[in-house]
Amino acid sequence: MKNRLRILFLSSEVAPFTKTGGLADVSSALPKALFDMGHDVRVLTPKYGSISDRKYILREVIRLKKIPIQMGGKEHITSAKSAFIPDAKVQIYFLEYKPFFGHQDLYVDSQTGKDFPNNAERFMLFSRAVLETIKLLVWQPQIIHCNDWQTAMIPYLLKNEFKDDPFFAKTATVLSIHNLAFQGSFDPKVTTKLGLPEEAAKPGSDLEIYEKINFLKAGILNANIITTVSPTYADEIQDDPELGAGLGEILRQRRQDIYGILNGVDQTVWNPEKDSYLENKYDSTNLDGKIENKKILLKKSKLPFDESVPVIGIISRLTDQKGFDLIAEAIDKIIKLNVQLVVLGMGDSKYQKLFKDISKKHPQNVAVFLRFDEELAHLIEAGSDIFLMPSRYEPCGLNQMYSLKYGTVPVVRKTGGLADTIVDFIEDPNKGNGFSFEAYESGAMLQAIKKAVDTFKDQKTWQKLIKRGMRQDFSWHVAADKYVKLYSKLESNKRKK
Ligand code: ADP
């Protein structure tokens, strides 16, 4: 292959090894798509305590058995193991350092419900160890693709501490922002512990903002290219002060270098024709399996089955971002529309309580599962009629695209990636694939749900609508192609220099 690129993809979560949200899905699907296009792509991620060596056949790599990292006057002896992403040929390395990554949890200690107090050191050590690992492998990536704050210090390190290191002389960086609300913001007191000089945290430096050090800010200012996971979100974070989350001005400084690329759907994982979690497979030419899945879902949810009652599914992290306060306000009116609601979620205790209370109040209509459950997530996508995402903001959102694939009609708030993927069926009956609302108000959401429920009653129209969604192409190759164009642009810029 003529333009075969060496790409190092860094992420703090990679499905199916670890997952708290969409980042994990992207971190396995995009490398797989890049590999399929013929590129030499390798992934590097922390080895958390929850990742089984045996299940995923992790192998020792002799030259990576001891990777000493000096940081803040201490030596940390890390190591790395290698494996493949399941059912793919993409090589993935796991950086092991038990004192920092030995827990089952990724960022929040489930014992305390709080972020690990040493998160800055954990991910700075990971970043330093990444650079050391590829040196030991003598594998020089042309592109290092970083994701979110956890790996955002790499572009900063390359432009500062490592700027004269010949090994990285030809390496360019891409930083993808999957959610600007998470920035890796820490007390500046920690700066020297990260192996950085005290001046790194002085006011107005690349790292400092609002009297804290901020990994994402440093990444935004130092990466060669910045991407976000949908075009609308790329604009919103620069132009809408609330969504800019304090970094709007910093982002605007890089306006020329920010690109929005919509995520895709990994069809080896999310495809009702082949879904290994489903007893009943189906496709757009025969939806009988979908009804069977609805029966199984309702049985599991201890709710009565009635074909004429639409089931609304929700699968989500339970946080302020996702718009559950609108559901809290409107729940009684939603139930009056004669619907059933199945919720799968994990997160903030106030929303766990909210949904528990709702299910107690409406036991005939509402079932709530407060856990992380991949299998049930697939069953909810397959067995629901409608999927609800009333997000306050949504960088991309994957479930609305999974829903389309599964013939489950999305009802969404028109923001970020939801605005880029869902067209309201009433506004545009020829192209519509779901229902949407604009104002962040429970009344507007209720109207959108009502439009969906009314359309559901007209089964002929409904079938047409769901088949249209199922036939839409959200394959990762479209997105991967766009990333490669950006990588190639960086390559040709380097040659011009
Ligand atoms: P975010 O990254 O903001 O959480 P996305 O829509 O991009 O939102 O991705 C969420 C991913 O996490 C989807 O694959 C969804 O199915 C999954 N998910 C979220 N919560 C759960 C849960 N409790 N159990 C299983 N899967 C979940």
Side-chain angles (χ1 to χ4, degrees):
M1 187 188 163
K2 207 168 112 240
N3 293 320
R4 189 165 193 253
L5 293 168
R6 288 182 303 279
I7 306 154
L8 176 66
F9 193 93
L10 303 176
S11 179
S12 58
E13 52 186 278
V14 182
F17 309 100
T18 42
K19 173 163 166 177
T20 67
L23 171 62
D25 291 6
V26 175
S27 300
S28 76
L30 176 55
K32 284 196 276 184
L34 293 167
F35 180 88
D36 289 345
M37 291 169 80
H39 297 288
D40 179 4
V41 53
R42 304 187 191 182
V43 182
L44 226 160
T45 190
K47 163 106 169 45
Y48 301 97
S50 56
I51 300 172
S52 153
D53 287 57
R54 219 194 257 170
K55 181 171 173 198
Y56 294 115
I57 323 177
L58 267 53
R59 291 180 197 284
E60 287 193 338
V61 181
I62 291 172
R63 68 178 91 170
L64 304 181
K65 268 185 159 174
K66 243 188 184 179
I67 312 171
I69 306 294
Q70 315 293 331
M71 189 171 89
K74 278 194 197 152
E75 185 177 62
H76 306 267
I77 308 288
T78 69
S79 62
K81 286 177 177 159
S82 140
F84 289 96
I85 293 184
D87 305 319
K89 291 193 184 125
V90 179
Q91 188 151 30
I92 174 163
Y93 296 96
F94 292 92
L95 194 280
E96 188 154 28
Y97 186 59
K98 289 204 174 103
F100 282 7
F101 295 107
H103 306 265
Q104 303 282 316
D105 303 316
L106 273 59
Y107 325 118
V108 178
D109 185 348
S110 51
Q111 302 273 316
T112 61
K114 295 204 175 106
D115 285 357
F116 287 113
N118 63 343
N119 269 349
E121 288 144 278
R122 291 172 80 217
F123 288 99
M124 189 65 171
L125 182 83
F126 175 69
S127 301
R128 291 180 175 283
V130 161
L131 299 179
E132 215 43 54
T133 303
I134 50 176
K135 277 186 160 186
L136 289 170
L137 287 171
V138 200
W139 182 74
Q140 272 176 305
Q142 289 145 299
I143 305 292
I144 299 187
H145 190 147
C146 307
N147 292 279
D148 281 349
W149 71 266
Q150 292 89 344
T151 50
M153 286 305 279
I154 301 249
Y156 178 89
L157 285 172
L158 291 180
K159 286 266 181 83
N160 291 281
E161 218 172 298
F162 290 81
K163 74 174 187 304
D164 298 321
D165 188 327
F167 189 86
F168 298 109
K170 293 194 177 134
T171 303
T173 53
V174 174
L175 171 65
S176 291
I177 300 172
H178 298 257
N179 193 334
L180 191 68
F182 301 101
Q183 301 181 354
S185 173
F186 304 102
D187 190 324
K189 276 196 211 124
V190 83
T191 309
T192 51
K193 280 198 199 165
L194 306 179
L196 299 173
E198 243 169 71
E199 309 86 77
K202 74 171 191 287
S205 67
D206 280 5
L207 193 55
E208 189 273 350
I209 192 162
Y210 310 121
E211 295 171 11
K212 298 256 186 174
I213 58 167
N214 185 309
F215 282 19
L216 197 62
K217 181 194 172 197
I220 292 168
L221 289 178
N222 287 283
N224 294 97
I225 275 181
I226 298 125
T227 72
T228 68
V229 285
S230 71
T232 295
Y233 190 63
D235 293 339
E236 286 172 341
I237 55 177
Q238 295 179 68
D239 302 331
D240 177 332
E242 195 189 325
L243 297 193
L247 292 181
E249 172 53 31
I250 303 300
L251 286 160
R252 286 195 292 278
Q253 288 179 31
R254 299 295 319 267
R255 195 183 276 281
Q256 300 303 323
D257 302 309
I258 300 182
Y259 299 83
I261 300 178
L262 193 72
N263 285 335
V265 172
D266 184 344
Q267 309 211 26
T268 62
V269 182
W270 294 98
N271 177 355
E273 288 172 49
K274 298 191 197 131
D275 192 325
S276 54
Y277 290 114
L278 297 182
E279 261 177 58
N280 304 285
K281 324 263 188 257
Y282 60 96
D283 61 34
S284 63
T285 61
N286 186 349
L287 290 159
D288 294 350
K290 187 162 175 66
I291 304 277
E292 294 308 310
N293 289 319
K294 180 169 173 175
K295 283 184 194 157
I296 296 173
L297 174 64
L298 289 170
K299 194 164 170 210
K300 206 174 178 131
S301 308
K302 300 195 174 72
L303 297 176
F305 170 77
D306 179 343
E307 209 172 330
S308 69
V309 175
V311 172
I312 301 178
I314 291 178
I315 305 163
S316 186
R317 288 183 297 113
L318 303 181
T319 68
D320 290 336
Q321 178 197 337
K322 301 290 182 178
F324 299 125
D325 46 340
L326 301 187
I327 297 183
E329 272 174 46
I331 187 65
D332 292 339
K333 290 181 183 151
I334 296 174
I335 300 299
K336 274 206 185 112
L337 297 172
N338 191 22
V339 298
Q340 291 168 319
L341 186 64
V342 180
V343 181
L344 169 62
M346 225 175 75
D348 294 359
S349 49
K350 67 174 172 187
Y351 294 118
Q352 304 213 26
K353 182 174 179 315
L354 168 80
F355 282 116
K356 258 194 223 154
D357 291 348
I358 289 176
S359 68
K360 266 190 212 142
K361 192 168 171 201
H362 303 281
Q364 290 299 310
N365 298 75
V366 180
V368 172
F369 300 91
L370 298 175
R371 57 177 193 248
F372 197 93
D373 187 336
E374 189 72 28
E375 184 170 352
L376 182 56
H378 284 249
L379 183 62
I380 292 176
E381 284 293 4
S384 304
D385 299 293
I386 295 168
F387 195 89
L388 181 59
M389 292 178 84
S391 306
R392 187 182 283 276
Y393 69 93
E394 196 57 77
C396 176
L398 290 169
N399 282 109
Q400 82 280 15
M401 292 189 273
Y402 300 160
S403 298
L404 290 171
K405 283 267 140 241
Y406 282 71
T408 302
V409 177
V411 173
V412 306
R413 174 149 182 272
K414 222 184 245 181
T415 177
L418 299 173
D420 290 333
T421 49
I422 303 304
V423 178
D424 187 90
F425 182 64
I426 304 296
E427 276 172 32
D428 189 344
N430 295 319
K431 289 207 192 106
N433 57 2
F435 299 89
S436 59
F437 62 100
E438 206 149 350
Y440 190 77
E441 286 164 8
S442 60
M445 178 189 70
L446 189 67
Q447 279 311 310
I449 297 174
K450 193 169 176 315
K451 283 192 282 182
V453 171
D454 288 345
T455 312
F456 178 83
K457 286 179 192 151
D458 170 7
Q459 270 298 314
K460 212 169 140 208
T461 307
W462 189 257
Q463 297 291 323
K464 219 170 70 189
L465 173 60
I466 65 182
K467 284 178 186 169
R468 180 183 290 163
M470 291 178 86
R471 289 182 190 135
Q472 265 186 278
D473 181 12
F474 285 111
S475 63
W476 258 103
H477 295 287
V478 181
D481 210 45
K482 291 186 179 160
Y483 281 107
V484 169
K485 287 210 171 85
L486 288 183
Y487 300 155
S488 306
K489 189 170 148 166
L490 288 173
E491 273 302 289
S492 67
N493 285 354
K494 265 190 263 166
R495 277 194 297 274
K496 273 188 227 147
K497 267 188 197 162

